[in-house]
Amino acid sequence: MKRTVAIAAIAGFSLGGLVALAWYQWPSYVRDGAVETPRRPAWTEAQWPFPVDEWGKGKAFRCAAADCGVEVNVYVRAKIGFCNCTTGVADDEELDRVADLRLMGERPSALAAGSPITVAWMKGRSRAYTTQRPQSSALAIAFNDRCDVVVATAIVAHPHPAPLEPSIVAFLSSETVIRWAEVTLGL
């Protein structure tokens, strides 16, 4: 607070000073073209935008660019009995098999090897992909409870989604998503 008052006093009441003050108070999560991990992402529920298929509707959530640095849309749904009951989502092959790659557009290609993640008590995997949309990318995330898998697709309005992965996984571990997963998986 003292820092803001000092900047306001130095800047004065000129238009340039107000612009400088506004710049200081509104943090940017995109610096030199790279996305930084947002400090306080705010997620709001949205309507499921895809046609119903064999897995039914899921849940959709959005984090605006003002809250995440770039717009992020996360689509989550359960696939009952579709996971490898022995190993779970332990490798990229299983992630690619269970993920909703069709939600990313035609022929997404992996940007790198996936990495293990933990969502609440469940283990899984996350992997970044390119999309057909210019200046966007996606994360495929899957985690399982025994033979049931929860898949999440995050569409990110930036070509490099990796810095946003921790925030997205933290959201998937939130009470909102975990409560939905418990009900949907019948736990």
Side-chain angles (χ1 to χ4, degrees), residues 79-91 94-95 97-98 123 143-150:
K79 295 184 176 182
I80 307 299
F82 195 61
C83 189
N84 182 325
C85 300
T86 306
T87 60
V89 186
D91 57 36
E94 182 67 4
L95 175 61
R97 187 182 76 77
V98 301
K123 302 290 183 197
F143 45 97
N144 69 293
D145 182 76
R146 298 184 196 101
C147 301
D148 301 328
V149 65
V150 174

Side-chain angles (χ1 to χ4, degrees), residues 10-157:
I10 292 168
F13 290 102
S14 69
L15 180 58
L18 290 175
V19 170
L21 180 61
W23 177 85
Y24 178 79
Q25 288 185 331
W26 295 79
S28 173
Y29 300 114
V30 180
R31 298 207 195 283
D32 300 322
V35 179
E36 296 179 0
T37 302
R39 290 183 269 294
R40 293 184 185 178
W43 298 92
T44 56
E45 191 167 349
Q47 286 191 338
W48 183 259
F50 305 104
V52 177
D53 61 10
E54 68 270 24
W55 302 111
K57 283 184 173 181
K59 290 283 201 180
F61 300 92
R62 179 179 180 273
C63 186
D67 298 312
C68 281
V70 296
E71 183 175 322
V72 180
N73 291 287
V74 175
Y75 308 103
V76 185
R77 62 182 172 171
K79 295 184 176 182
I80 307 299
F82 195 61
C83 189
N84 182 325
C85 300
T86 306
T87 60
V89 186
D91 57 36
D92 288 341
E93 277 186 44
E94 182 67 4
L95 175 61
D96 289 347
R97 187 182 76 77
V98 301
D100 277 331
L101 296 178
R102 289 184 298 179
L103 301 184
M104 297 179 201
E106 291 186 29
R107 298 193 179 171
S109 55
L111 291 170
S115 59
I117 53 114
T118 301
V119 174
W121 70 93
M122 298 173 274
K123 302 290 183 197
R125 201 153 181 87
S126 175
R127 191 175 194 188
Y129 294 83
T130 62
T131 66
Q132 298 298 316
R133 299 176 190 124
Q135 293 300 307
S136 73
S137 57
L139 287 170
I141 302 169
F143 45 97
N144 69 293
D145 182 76
R146 298 184 196 101
C147 301
D148 301 328
V149 65
V150 174
V151 296
T153 304
I155 306 295
V156 178

